[in-house]
Amino acid sequence: MIDRPYVEKSAASGVRKISLLERDPGRYLARAILAGMYLSIIVFVYWSLAHNLHDSPFGKVISSAFFGVGLCIIVFTNAELFTSNNMYLAVSSAEGKTTWLQSVLLWTVCYAGNLIGAIIVALLLYGAGTLDALPLDHALYDGAAHKVHQGAFAIFIKGILANWIVCLAVRLALSMKEDIAKITIMITVVFIFLYLSFEHSIANMGTFSMSLFGNGSITAREAIFNLVFATAGNIVGGALFVGIPFRYINPAEIRGNGS
C-alpha cells in the first residue's frame, strides 16, 4: 500500500479546515457545535446501555461497540471534532501547508464549539426531564464521578491513549474506498478506547454536562480538572502519536512503504 497519498489527503483536509475558519468562522463554529451535539447524544446512549446491560456479561462490549457510531456520524456529516483535528492539523503543519499557530487557533475554536454542542444536548435532555428521571446510581453519574476522581497523570496518560486510538481509526478510514468499510473500521477501532475506559475530552464534555444538569455528584471544578488533563493528553495522542509520525514515515520523496 502506498501511504503518501493519504498524508497529502490529510494535509489538504487541514488546509480546507483552516480556509473555512478564516473565510467563514460562523459556519466553521456551527460544524464544531454539531459535532459536539452528535457525540454527546451518543454518549448518553452509551451510558444508558452500560446501565441497562450492567448485569449482562456482554453489556460493556455492546455499549463500547455502539460508541463508534458517533465518530461515523461526525465523519459523514463533515462536522468538526477537536480530537481528530489534532491529527489533521499536525499533518498539514508538519507538511508546511498550515502553520502551528493556525492549528492552535482552529483547535481552540473547534474545542469551544464542541463544548457548546455538548451543553446544548445536556440542556435538551434536562428540559425533557430525561436526566431527572435517572436513578442516582445510574452509570452516567457513577461514570462521571469516577472520571473526575482520578489523578492528573492518570487522566493525561488515558487521554493520550484515547486519542491515539481515535485518530488511528480516522487514519485507517482514509485508506478505505467503500463507506461500509470506513464505518466498520471506525466502529471497530473506537471500541478499543471505550472498552478500556480511556479519556476522550469531547465525550467527557457530554458526560459532565449531563451529570451537572442532572443529579450527579460532581462539581464544575472537578469536571474542568479532568478536561484540562484529558485535553492535553488528547493533543499529544493525536498530534504526536499519530499525525507527526504518519507524516514522518511517509515523506514526499518516498512513494512506497518499507518492508
Side-chain angles (χ1 to χ4, degrees), residues 127-141:
T130 304
L131 297 178
D132 282 339
L134 301 180
L136 295 178
D137 64 346
H138 194 275
L140 168 65
Y141 299 144

Side-chain angles (χ1 to χ4, degrees), residues 138-201:
H138 194 275
L140 168 65
Y141 299 144
D142 288 346
H146 172 74
K147 286 178 175 294
V148 301
H149 292 145
Q150 300 174 98
F153 186 69
I155 296 171
F156 175 70
I157 297 300
K158 289 182 179 181
I160 292 175
L161 292 166
N163 208 28
W164 174 48
I165 293 167
V166 169
C167 288
L168 280 177
V170 174
R171 152 70 190 103
L172 290 170
L174 286 172
S175 61
M176 303 296 166
K177 304 301 182 184
E178 302 294 332
D179 288 345
I180 188 63
K182 293 181 181 181
I183 292 170
T184 301
I185 198 66
M186 285 190 286
I187 289 177
T188 303
V189 177
V190 167
F191 166 85
I192 298 170
F193 105 79
L194 259 297
Y195 191 76
L196 297 177
S197 302
F198 295 147
E199 297 293 319
H200 188 278
S201 59

